[in-house]
Amino acid sequence: MSATVNVNGTITDGGTASISVFDRGFLFGEGVYETIRTYNRLPFLYDRHMTRLRRSAARINLACPLDDAAVHARILETVDASAAEEDAYIRLLLTRGVGDLSYDPTTAPTPSLVIIVKPLPEVPAELQATGVAVSLVSVVRNHPDSVHPSIKSNNLLNNALAMQQALQEGTYEALMRNYQGDLVECSQSNFFIVRDGAALTPPLDAGLLEGITRNFVFEVGAAIDVRVEEAVLQDGDLTTADEAFLTSTTREIVPIVRVGARTIGAGHPGPVTQALLAELRRTAAVLSRRS
Ligand code: PDD
């Protein structure tokens, strides 16, 4: 895999980059992260990602040692070093850092900041055209009194186990319920259905990651007169949905045409999903023009 990595300010290629085995990120998954993408080689919605990173970090009593401008400079340096022509996938990780084999945060006073840059894995146009199948898995999203789902935590085992079920079924994503049994989000993306022309997504208090793309879809919808609203969604809503889609930074909007054995709507990507995707891309291109 071709990657360029910045570990605490030092840039190397992915094969050489290393971090101590005593880093709490490695030992305990004790850290937070953001996945950012570029359009036109510029990190997209950077301020929103940093706001969420700091919020996630604060919730595990961790502080980012650099200000937003310094992190941005480090990201650009790493993107430039990657020398790739195409758009970039950027994973920004902030961990508790190196310390004793203990949970005591005071024994690991210096956080680690790692930036991984690699070519953006674009969603194949063919998948956008046909839509994808997802699995409705038995792994439930974290209880809000456990690792709160709004924390974009490096501790991703729950999500990984959910995705393993989807992979076993040969599907593209794992749709999860929350501990109350409501549909909530996917293992790496947010979830929407479309009914009667409106796009509906579970509310934040259902216990999910407040996706940057999810929030952007509210703005994109407003620009093209598509209602985008929060709504509690349950299994039965899959049967009455006209369309469904997922959203994430790297995947933008991907139409879902089947959930488990249920065909969604007519079984192909619908007009509302397609209009939202087109407008999202148009807006992203406008916001990413170089002056
Ligand atoms: N995943 N929900 C979960 C559980 C996620 O991990 C993600 C992001 C999202 C979508 O959030 P955003 O729109 O801010 O990317 C929702 C990223 C892409 C990842 O894990 O790499």
Side-chain angles (χ1 to χ4, degrees):
M1 185 202 324
S2 96
T4 305
V5 182
N6 186 321
V7 180
N8 296 319
T10 303
I11 299 177
T12 61
D13 67 79
T16 319
S18 64
I19 192 122
S20 166
V21 294
F22 293 101
D23 193 289
R24 300 268 172 85
F26 174 74
L27 288 171
F28 310 142
E30 190 178 355
V32 294
Y33 78 103
E34 283 295 319
T35 300
I36 305 172
R37 64 157 291 166
T38 65
Y39 285 96
N40 202 17
R41 304 277 292 157
L42 295 171
F44 187 56
L45 302 179
Y46 174 72
D47 294 349
R48 300 186 193 192
H49 282 285
M50 283 308 289
T51 300
R52 187 172 66 183
L53 182 80
R54 288 184 193 284
R55 216 169 42 215
S56 295
R59 296 192 69 171
I60 64 162
N61 307 309
L62 183 63
C64 180
L66 302 178
D67 65 22
D68 286 10
V71 175
H72 196 250
R74 231 179 237 196
I75 289 176
L76 290 186
E77 227 186 312
T78 316
V79 170
D80 286 348
S82 76
E85 293 298 313
E86 62 273 75
D87 272 312
Y89 166 106
I90 302 160
R91 195 172 184 102
L92 174 63
L93 302 108
L94 177 69
T95 74
R96 179 73 65 197
V98 175
D100 290 349
L101 260 169
S102 114
Y103 290 147
D104 181 354
T106 62
T107 62
T110 312
S112 302
L113 188 73
V114 173
I115 300 162
I116 300 171
V117 172
K118 62 181 187 102
L120 182 77
E122 304 263 9
V123 176
E126 182 195 310
L127 276 192
Q128 292 286 11
T130 57
V132 299
V134 304
S135 296
L136 185 54
V137 299
S138 63
V139 176
V140 297
R141 191 68 170 106
N142 300 42
H143 191 290
D145 290 335
S146 175
V147 177
H148 198 288
S150 67
I151 302 172
K152 198 159 170 58
S153 157
N154 286 342
N155 197 314
L156 286 166
L157 193 50
N158 199 60
N159 306 52
L161 290 176
M163 189 60 201
Q164 281 183 21
Q165 286 191 7
L167 291 168
Q168 274 158 14
E169 292 176 14
T171 62
Y172 184 75
E173 247 289 27
L175 175 59
M176 284 181 280
R177 303 181 185 91
N178 65 12
Y179 72 101
Q180 292 166 307
D182 298 331
L183 301 175
V184 68
E185 65 174 333
C186 301
S187 76
Q188 304 148 80
S189 52
N190 290 113
F191 177 73
F192 288 73
I193 65 163
V194 176
R195 197 165 46 212
D196 302 329
L200 308 174
T201 195
L204 297 181
D205 65 11
L208 50 89
L209 183 76
E210 185 175 359
I212 305 289
T213 320
R214 170 192 187 274
N215 288 355
F216 198 54
V217 165
F218 283 82
E219 297 165 38
V220 164
I224 54 169
D225 285 334
V226 168
R227 270 187 302 129
V228 182
E229 291 168 6
E230 291 186 337
V232 173
L233 298 179
Q234 290 169 331
D235 288 20
D237 292 300
L238 298 170
T239 313
T240 56
D242 302 319
E243 303 176 29
F245 61 89
L246 58 84
T247 65
S248 89
T249 294
T250 50
R251 295 168 173 176
E252 303 173 313
I253 291 174
V254 177
I256 297 171
V257 294
R258 185 165 62 77
V259 178
R262 292 183 184 84
T263 300
I264 302 291
H268 53 73
V272 173
T273 306
Q274 285 169 325
L276 288 169
L277 174 59
E279 179 62 13
L280 180 147
R281 286 185 169 161
R282 195 194 65 78
T283 316
V286 170
L287 292 175
S288 306
R289 267 188 207 133
R290 285 172 186 269
S291 42

